[in-house]
Amino acid sequence: MRTVYVNGDYLPETDAKISIFDRGFLMADGVYEVTSVLDGKLIDFDGHVARLERSLAELEMASPVTSEDLLEIHRALVARNGIEEGMVYLQITRGAPADRDFVFPDPDETPSSLVVFTQNKPGLADNPAAKKGMRVISIDDMRWGRRDIKTVQLLYPSMGKMMAKKAGADDAWMVQDGFVTEGTSNNAYIVKGGKIITRARSNDILHGITRAAVLRFAAEAQMEVEERNFTIAEAREADEAFITSASTFVMPVVEIDGVKLGDGTPGRVAPRLREIYLEESRKAAI
Ligand code: PLP
């Protein structure tokens, strides 16, 4: 059985409890991070903690622990659960006040809740899906306007995944005012004439930690990167497409709304970026 962390305690997962008044449960008043684990080490941990601190600050939510504590908790759970490849999920919510109320509770009276657990995913880096590529559909982006904050409001992305599944695809790319924002749980890219195109950072998308690393590695490898909006029509005409996220790293996209990109197999850029990302991230893992 998995050992998880809840508000200061390491517990068997079945003994871990959160109050029914927790604002994460009642109001999705919480933020989260997912850090991947390779070779038993954390990938891009500092980036995830920096984004967490930004999400908390934007929501005026206090962290119950320091970033040093977070590293210790992550490492303890990875060790206790014997994770070689997988993820660590972390969630902070605005805690459990005495009663349900829209007004934020006084943080001195209601401490934030912290939950951390591991997900064991052997073969995460060697995912066969990376060789085949994914199929995506496009859907309207109906999420709220602060997607740069990594909140636990994941109902619409979850519905998007179900729309994709029902359509026989693997995921959905969301579209706002005619332009692709991002995938349901990943950032979206196209490649045309060797140039990597991805939407620029704003409140419209999550500022992916994997995105930042991949764009840095692409620049270092002398690949051309253009941060700008693109449409689904442009994406269908692209040579290649791919997504990035902490749990999928770089994953080729080979079909959009039933239209195959190129010959319908992963091209050269996405598999190369995946290789570089995995290699460099393993080297920098802590
Ligand atoms: N965009 C959305 C909406 C996400 O949910 C995620 C990850 O969960 C990402 C992008 C990718 O972010 P990261 O690379 O930090 O995992």
Side-chain angles (χ1 to χ4, degrees), residues 19-23 26 95-101 105-106 109-110:
S19 163
I20 64 158
F21 296 112
D22 192 278
R23 289 178 58 97
L26 294 179
D99 201 358
R100 181 176 180 273
D101 189 349
D106 180 344
E109 282 165 29
T110 306

Side-chain angles (χ1 to χ4, degrees), residues 150-168:
K150 196 165 169 68
T151 75
V152 297
Q153 306 175 76
L154 296 176
L155 181 55
Y156 189 70
S158 183
M159 289 168 72
K161 287 255 198 237
M162 293 311 295
M163 290 181 228
K165 203 170 160 183
K166 281 180 194 146

Side-chain angles (χ1 to χ4, degrees), residues 101-256:
D101 189 349
F102 280 79
V103 174
F104 291 178
D106 180 344
D108 292 334
E109 282 165 29
T110 306
S112 308
S113 302
L114 170 62
V115 169
V116 190
F117 59 82
T118 54
Q119 292 184 277
N120 192 27
K121 302 272 178 198
L124 190 66
D126 246 336
N127 192 344
K131 305 226 160 44
K132 226 172 104 215
M134 308 167 39
R135 289 171 300 167
V136 302
I137 58 165
S138 60
I139 62 172
D140 265 357
D141 197 334
M142 296 176 65
R143 298 173 298 162
W144 79 324
R146 288 304 305 273
R147 301 156 193 160
D148 56 311
I149 308 173
K150 196 165 169 68
T151 75
V152 297
Q153 306 175 76
L154 296 176
L155 181 55
Y156 189 70
S158 183
M159 289 168 72
K161 287 255 198 237
M162 293 311 295
M163 290 181 228
K165 203 170 160 183
K166 281 180 194 146
D170 304 301
D171 201 2
W173 278 11
M174 295 178 279
V175 176
Q176 168 178 287
D177 301 329
F179 296 105
V180 173
T181 51
E182 57 190 332
T184 58
S185 59
N186 44 69
N187 290 114
Y189 309 72
I190 58 172
V191 182
K192 186 76 180 176
K195 193 189 291 174
I196 298 161
I197 300 157
T198 194
R199 193 178 177 107
R201 294 188 308 167
S202 70
N203 291 354
D204 296 335
I205 64 167
L206 186 72
H207 305 175
I209 301 305
T210 320
R211 175 189 184 280
V214 164
L215 293 188
R216 195 173 67 243
F217 297 142
E220 282 167 14
Q222 318 292 332
M223 295 178 185
E224 206 182 333
V225 176
E226 201 177 345
E227 292 182 65
R228 65 159 171 87
N229 285 358
F230 62 88
T231 64
I232 284 291
E234 188 181 6
R236 288 195 203 141
E237 298 284 307
D239 303 326
E240 284 184 47
F242 62 95
I243 57 155
T244 63
S245 75
S247 53
T248 62
F249 312 117
V250 178
M251 189 64 72
V253 168
V254 294
E255 193 179 299
I256 301 174

Side-chain angles (χ1 to χ4, degrees), residues 74-85:
H74 276 61
R75 283 180 163 160
L77 287 179
V78 167
R80 282 181 188 228
N81 294 304
I83 308 295
E84 277 300 307
E85 288 197 12

Side-chain angles (χ1 to χ4, degrees), residues 24-89:
F25 175 62
L26 294 179
M27 294 178 172
D29 188 358
V31 297
Y32 75 108
E33 282 296 330
V34 177
T35 303
S36 59
V37 177
L38 293 176
D39 313 318
K41 290 186 184 161
L42 301 163
I43 303 295
D44 270 334
F45 182 77
D46 291 345
H48 287 285
V49 168
R51 184 173 60 192
L52 175 71
E53 282 168 357
R54 181 179 178 276
S55 294
L56 290 168
E58 290 297 313
L59 297 175
E60 296 171 49
M61 202 184 288
S63 176
V65 295
T66 65
S67 54
E68 290 77 32
D69 295 332
L70 284 179
L71 177 58
E72 192 185 310
I73 295 163
H74 276 61
R75 283 180 163 160
L77 287 179
V78 167
R80 282 181 188 228
N81 294 304
I83 308 295
E84 277 300 307
E85 288 197 12
M87 283 98 77
V88 182
Y89 177 91

